[in-house]
Amino acid sequence: MAFFWCAGAAAQTSAPPAAASAQQPTLEKIKAAGKVVLGVREASPPMAYALGANEKFVGYHVELCERVMKEIAPQARLEYMAITAQNTLALVQNGTVDIGCGPTTNNTARQQQVAFAVTTYVSEVRMAVSADSDLNSVNQLGGRGRLADPADADGRAGKDLRQVVHQPDPATQPEPEPAHERHAAAIDRSAQRQAAGGVPQVTATTAATSATTANTAMDTPLATGAATATAGAFVPAQRIAALGVSPILRITDHANALKRSGRPVIVLGAGEPDFDTPDHIVEAARKALARGETRYTVLDGSPAMKDAVREKFRRDNGLHFAREEITLGTGAKQVLYNAFMATLNPGDEVILPAPYWSSYADVVTIAGGVPVTVPCTEADGFRLTAAALEAAITPRTRWLLLNSPSNPTGAAYGAAQLRPLLDVLLRHPQVWLMSDDIYEHILYDGAPFATPAALEPRLQGRCLTVNGVSKAYAMTGWRIGFAGGPRELIAAMAVVQSQCTSCPSSISQAAAIEALTGPQAIVAERCADFQARRDFVVQALNQTPGLHCRMPEGAFYTYASCAGTLGRTTPGGVLLKTDVDFCKYLLAEYEVAVVPGTYFGLAPYFRVSYATSMAHLREACQRIQAACAALR
């Protein structure tokens, strides 16, 4: 792979050149020299288009790299050096360049690969900086989700990368775009313009600037896994070095902390119903306690719990499973985690239609897999198309993960939308399907729910249907998720669970049995309440200048575009450049907490959870409207 090399160690996951391994570690060298030199390709046409072929973008690249270096080596100045494909590796090995893209050779596929590597680096830094994340070192940029490398060992040609998704030209889109959009679109533009014969060059900007002292200087080396500068210092495992606590949780926690301090913040970021768990379910838990059912159960669910899940699948979905084909976990997230840990080998790919729940990509990464994100546009209803799926599949693809209705968009796949996707999967027998149906019972306007395994029985042997009680029954804190699938997969997942949590809570299982087998009328009643809230929020957002909101089919989220607010200035003089800026403005000035679309893989949008009271929604929408009206 042709990613950024650091002198002394690799900045990404590829093995470093042998000649470099004996050199002084990069961070120590930077501190000793008082400067860091980043090599930038000056004349490669794919590089020109990956960087946007304009000085402004290169200048932004300089600005972002300064930010990173201020955090990890605050006294070092930043310099850039124009390099070529031929001299990159040598300059890195001899220490002239501290960070450079390479190695590479002078052919089209490799040039595109280098362009992708640089675009990855720049885009990920942009997202980290714009999100004001806890970025501590360059090694945290490694391991993030990416589109498949066109020069992987499977021989996939560079043109396949360009076919993964055809996005609008980013020049027409508000900045910053999510990284996965820029990767495909930049290389796509490169190929199109080279074919047309018009290939302008980009000149690498050279910058030398003194860095101010940051609040905290991190001694973490630039390269993942390198020796720490301070003996005994904590070094995170490589599998989590690029990850952090969910930004959704961080936003919600911050907003709740503001509320506790006395500020009237309205939090529209939570992914859980505001209703209480129904009384008959709570009573079932009390009775289980009274009976003394407080011991371990079977590893992946008691027989009674598994039978309740089997009946739910039969009643609601027309699916028939044996007990050995059912698994229970501590929430649906653990079920997903178990499945990926049980099946993914290093480099195996998991296709994630974007926007997606941010935990999907992180769990895949921890399991050693590669999240392959395929942006799904609003024009397509935020749904994956058969053409995009076909283009994203490679010999290394192991799973497609579908979530319907979706978090964060509320988009749902009916039978008509699923059928073309299932036909694609039938042509690729190595690809398994994971269907996250956790919002199954929060579907509006009388639309019937469709789940892939029921729609296409030929896929049941490689389909895992995941669900739980958290959303439909307002049981998020009870932590019960379940799935049905092939018994070999279920057995492998049990091995993973046996070495982490063991069985789910016995009392939670008793409550979940009652939820699945007891009265179901309250589920429909609460769904009707959610639909009324949806209708109100969508109407209010669409009446707000600068915003546009698609009508979601299910779940309890709206995914609204804030593109019309970008480029405008707040009353305090702050220019809104991204959806992250917009959401920060809402929280800081109008005390409404929402989640930027950047964190779900598609910008410029923001997610509103309307799982709160109508009174709070009215007040929140009024504040959002006032915030947008105040922009200049």
Side-chain angles (χ1 to χ4, degrees), residues 108-271:
T108 300
R110 285 292 183 179
Q111 287 176 347
Q112 290 172 346
Q113 187 175 352
V114 171
F116 167 72
V118 172
T119 308
T120 300
Y121 178 84
V122 176
S123 301
E124 296 294 1
V125 178
R126 289 187 67 172
M127 286 205 301
V129 172
S130 67
D132 197 24
S133 70
D134 298 324
L135 180 65
N136 295 321
S137 65
V138 173
N139 77 302
Q140 287 183 293
L141 302 177
R144 289 178 181 262
R146 63 174 180 85
L147 289 169
D149 182 2
D152 276 340
D154 59 38
R156 186 170 179 235
K159 65 182 181 180
D160 289 338
L161 177 62
R162 299 193 300 272
Q163 292 171 350
V164 169
V165 61
H166 297 284
Q167 287 294 102
D169 191 320
T172 68
Q173 304 298 307
E175 295 285 354
E177 297 171 345
H180 52 263
E181 291 185 59
R182 183 177 290 105
H183 299 165
I187 295 177
D188 197 19
R189 294 197 310 277
S190 172
Q192 293 171 357
R193 294 175 186 174
Q194 288 184 72
V199 185
Q201 304 296 313
V202 63
T203 302
T205 302
T206 301
T209 177
S210 299
T212 58
T213 303
N215 292 332
T216 306
M218 299 298 293
D219 287 328
T220 307
L222 287 174
T224 301
T228 56
T230 303
F234 172 74
V235 179
Q238 293 184 21
R239 73 180 66 89
I240 66 165
L243 308 179
V245 175
S246 163
I248 304 170
L249 294 178
R250 290 205 308 268
I251 290 170
T252 302
D253 289 347
H254 177 58
N256 285 327
L258 293 176
K259 286 182 66 175
R260 290 192 295 271
S261 71
R263 292 182 59 180
V265 175
I266 299 176
V267 182
L268 303 181

Side-chain angles (χ1 to χ4, degrees), residues 136-419:
N136 295 321
S137 65
V138 173
N139 77 302
Q140 287 183 293
L141 302 177
R144 289 178 181 262
R146 63 174 180 85
L147 289 169
D149 182 2
D152 276 340
D154 59 38
R156 186 170 179 235
K159 65 182 181 180
D160 289 338
L161 177 62
R162 299 193 300 272
Q163 292 171 350
V164 169
V165 61
H166 297 284
Q167 287 294 102
D169 191 320
T172 68
Q173 304 298 307
E175 295 285 354
E177 297 171 345
H180 52 263
E181 291 185 59
R182 183 177 290 105
H183 299 165
I187 295 177
D188 197 19
R189 294 197 310 277
S190 172
Q192 293 171 357
R193 294 175 186 174
Q194 288 184 72
V199 185
Q201 304 296 313
V202 63
T203 302
T205 302
T206 301
T209 177
S210 299
T212 58
T213 303
N215 292 332
T216 306
M218 299 298 293
D219 287 328
T220 307
L222 287 174
T224 301
T228 56
T230 303
F234 172 74
V235 179
Q238 293 184 21
R239 73 180 66 89
I240 66 165
L243 308 179
V245 175
S246 163
I248 304 170
L249 294 178
R250 290 205 308 268
I251 290 170
T252 302
D253 289 347
H254 177 58
N256 285 327
L258 293 176
K259 286 182 66 175
R260 290 192 295 271
S261 71
R263 292 182 59 180
V265 175
I266 299 176
V267 182
L268 303 181
E272 63 178 344
D274 58 314
F275 301 115
D276 291 331
T277 302
D279 291 342
H280 66 97
I281 297 173
V282 175
E283 183 59 28
R286 290 197 185 101
K287 290 180 178 178
L289 282 168
R291 291 192 299 267
E293 295 179 9
T294 57
R295 299 182 182 275
Y296 294 133
T297 71
V298 176
L299 170 64
D300 59 349
S302 70
M305 181 74 247
K306 288 192 173 187
D307 286 346
V309 172
R310 293 171 62 203
E311 173 59 19
K312 174 263 176 288
F313 278 130
R314 185 202 63 78
R315 178 190 70 219
D316 296 343
N317 309 116
L319 292 172
H320 299 272
F321 293 104
R323 278 186 186 170
E324 295 76 17
E325 296 172 320
I326 298 295
T327 186
L328 271 291
T330 306
K333 180 186 283 189
Q334 186 186 23
V335 175
L336 298 169
Y337 180 90
N338 290 348
F340 287 136
M341 289 295 291
T343 60
L344 293 180
N345 291 313
D348 285 348
E349 297 175 351
V350 177
I351 296 173
L352 302 177
Y356 55 85
W357 182 42
S358 58
S359 288
Y360 290 152
D362 289 349
V363 171
V364 170
T365 299
I366 291 173
V370 178
V372 178
T373 57
V374 182
C376 303
T377 65
E378 184 175 354
D380 288 323
F382 297 123
R383 301 184 189 94
L384 181 66
T385 66
L389 173 59
E390 185 76 59
I393 293 174
T394 78
R396 301 180 68 177
T397 304
R398 188 67 187 272
W399 287 97
L400 164 66
L401 198 165
L402 290 179
N403 175 214
S404 173
S406 161
N407 174 11
T409 65
Y413 293 80
Q417 290 83 31
L418 283 174
R419 182 72 261 171

